[in-house]
Amino acid sequence: MPNQLQEGILVGCGNPLLDISAIVPMDFLRKYSMNEDDAILAEDRHMPIYGELIESFSAEFLAGGSVQNSLRIAQWILKQPKVAVFFGCVGKDRYAEILEDKARSAGLDVHYQVREDVPTGTCAVLITGTHRSLCANLAAANHFTIDHLADPVNKAVIENAQYYYISGFFLTVNPPSIMQVAQTAHTNNRPFLMNLSAPFISQYYMAPLLAVLPYVDIIFGNEAEAQAFAEAQSWPSGDLREIGKRLVAFDKLNSSRPRIAILTQGCDPVLLFQQDSVQEFPVTRLLAHEIVDTNGAGDAFVGGFLSQFVQGKSLDVCIRCGNYAAGHIIKNPGCTYAGEPQFIE
Ligand code: AP5
Ligand code: NA
């Protein structure tokens, strides 16, 4: 059992989404012009997907939303409730109740902004074999406003935290809130962590991403996301090692704490970039029959990492715990876990 941590030491902001997950034939993806490993935002033409998944493919409902996933996983590993607090916007409906219930039973404290006139966001998870394609209908999540952070209780929560984590996904919703949290982290010399989240963020939201990047102490991403960033920046090489080096060298406000980049690449080693060094951390390969679905693997990796980082553990321990958590989540549907965590430092 780790030492007792300060309540609310970790704060995250993101899109609280209920995942509607089903195994579908390739034809279903083609019908909606989607690819096997997409992560996109729903347009009008995607709206029938959710109903179809429920009616024709006996979809499962699972707690989702990238940041909330990561914080739930961190809580599961930490075992001490309310170490992490989550901000995001939901509707006033059954889906919000499910999300809140899953978060609280994991020990995660949620401070949702509630919109009575908009439904809670959902994410269609279309599983084809070992691939998963995501289509997020942000709905209420898209209505998060900065005044929620000005609420005296929430303001105190942010001021008391020591670590901050926000997804790239949240850049599509409310960049001013991200900048405010980043500024608080900076003013108080506290770590601010971010995720590239999906290729479309670098493709379409580069301006707000570049605005916040100078505040980012640790940046996470997978191969495709790192490559999308490099392409959007017209960097000459698509080589992950080159991209990682450039990510850590990118402008940074607090130069006394050089940026760290952590890039995952599925079952290949995790790459840790610090100034001029690149280190590899091996991943224990899972056997085909052990894999339920990889949905949530990246989020769980971050959750495992955060659970150790907030305890001041070394990056080596943080990354090994990230790999442990991701491996566990892959053996379970969506971003869910079973039983007690078994991570050994
Ligand atoms: P999804 O993108 O599926 O989750 P993810 O956590 O990013 O998982 P991926 O499978 O994409 O992993 P990755 O590619 O990031 O990482 P990698 O494969 O390198 O999204 C899930 C959630 O996103 C949903 O719940 C949804 O609600 C939410 N979401 C979607 N759109 C959103 C939006 N607009 N706003 C907010 N939320 C949104 O793997 C990472 C690690 O996993 C590896 O380092 C390794 O440790 C492990 N690992 C991976 N593959 C293997 C393997 N074969 N064997 C062993 N370990 C493995
Ligand atoms: Na899974």
Side-chain angles (χ1 to χ4, degrees), residues 23-307:
I23 298 169
V24 297
M26 277 305 291
D27 278 352
F28 190 78
L29 290 187
R30 280 193 279 270
K31 179 170 158 191
Y32 289 101
S33 315
M34 288 179 66
N35 303 306
E36 286 180 323
D37 285 305
D38 277 347
I40 60 168
L41 292 180
E43 296 168 24
D44 287 344
R45 65 195 168 94
H46 298 112
M47 291 306 168
I49 291 181
Y50 308 88
E52 269 195 71
L53 287 180
I54 295 166
E55 277 147 38
S56 311
F57 297 99
S58 39
E60 261 191 285
F61 291 82
L62 296 160
S66 179
V67 173
Q68 187 165 304
N69 282 344
S70 296
L71 298 185
R72 275 192 303 110
I73 298 305
Q75 281 292 165
W76 170 61
I77 291 173
L78 282 164
K79 296 183 182 168
Q80 177 196 332
K82 296 192 175 181
V83 171
V85 183
F86 174 78
F87 292 111
C89 187
V90 294
K92 195 174 165 62
D93 51 26
R94 178 77 195 117
Y95 286 2
E97 285 169 12
I98 298 174
L99 279 180
E100 176 159 357
D101 177 59
K102 296 286 180 200
R104 292 207 184 275
S105 55
L108 174 61
D109 194 6
V110 294
H111 286 224
Y112 292 142
Q113 186 172 21
V114 180
R115 281 283 301 240
E116 302 206 354
D117 55 335
V118 192
T120 296
T122 49
C123 182
V125 180
L126 312 178
I127 300 175
T128 48
T130 55
H131 299 274
R132 61 91 191 108
S133 200
L134 306 173
C135 183
N137 173 22
L138 298 185
N142 209 19
H143 293 266
F144 186 90
T145 53
I146 196 165
D147 48 294
H148 188 62
L149 303 181
D151 168 274
V153 173
N154 297 338
K155 200 165 178 244
V157 165
I158 290 173
E159 272 161 20
N160 291 333
Q162 301 293 325
Y163 300 88
Y164 305 87
Y165 175 60
I166 301 187
S167 60
F169 283 132
F170 203 57
L171 288 165
T172 78
V173 172
N174 200 286
S177 295
I178 301 179
M179 294 308 287
Q180 184 177 308
V181 173
Q183 188 67 54
T184 303
H186 178 64
T187 310
N188 296 290
N189 194 26
R190 298 170 188 162
F192 182 82
L193 291 74
M194 200 157 187
N195 202 309
L196 293 172
S197 292
F200 84 83
I201 297 297
S202 291
Q203 288 156 0
Y204 304 111
Y205 295 86
M206 189 50 108
L209 177 55
L210 289 183
V212 70
L213 204 50
Y215 292 88
V216 177
D217 293 295
I218 301 187
I219 184 93
F220 297 98
N222 67 20
E223 276 169 292
E225 292 152 11
Q227 273 153 0
F229 185 91
E231 255 172 57
Q233 284 293 302
S234 308
W235 286 350
S237 170
D239 178 55
L240 221 49
R241 286 171 182 263
E242 282 307 312
I243 298 171
K245 283 182 195 165
R246 282 177 177 254
L247 275 173
V248 298
F250 215 88
D251 287 352
K252 190 163 189 303
L253 272 175
N254 179 354
S255 52
S256 69
R257 186 163 46 215
R259 182 177 300 111
I260 292 166
I262 297 171
L263 302 180
T264 59
Q265 28 180 9
C267 58
D268 291 332
V270 175
L271 301 178
L272 165 65
F273 297 86
Q274 299 181 86
Q275 291 182 292
D276 294 323
S277 83
V278 189
Q279 274 173 275
E280 288 192 4
F281 293 81
V283 169
T284 309
R285 253 169 215 264
L286 294 170
L287 302 172
H289 75 267
E290 294 179 298
I291 299 179
V292 174
D293 69 60
T294 62
N295 187 29
D299 297 339
F301 175 86
V302 172
F305 183 97
L306 288 171
S307 73

Side-chain angles (χ1 to χ4, degrees), residues 62 291-297 326-336:
L62 296 160
I291 299 179
V292 174
D293 69 60
T294 62
N295 187 29
H328 182 91
I329 255 56
I330 291 171
K331 293 184 236 167
N332 290 280
C335 195
T336 64

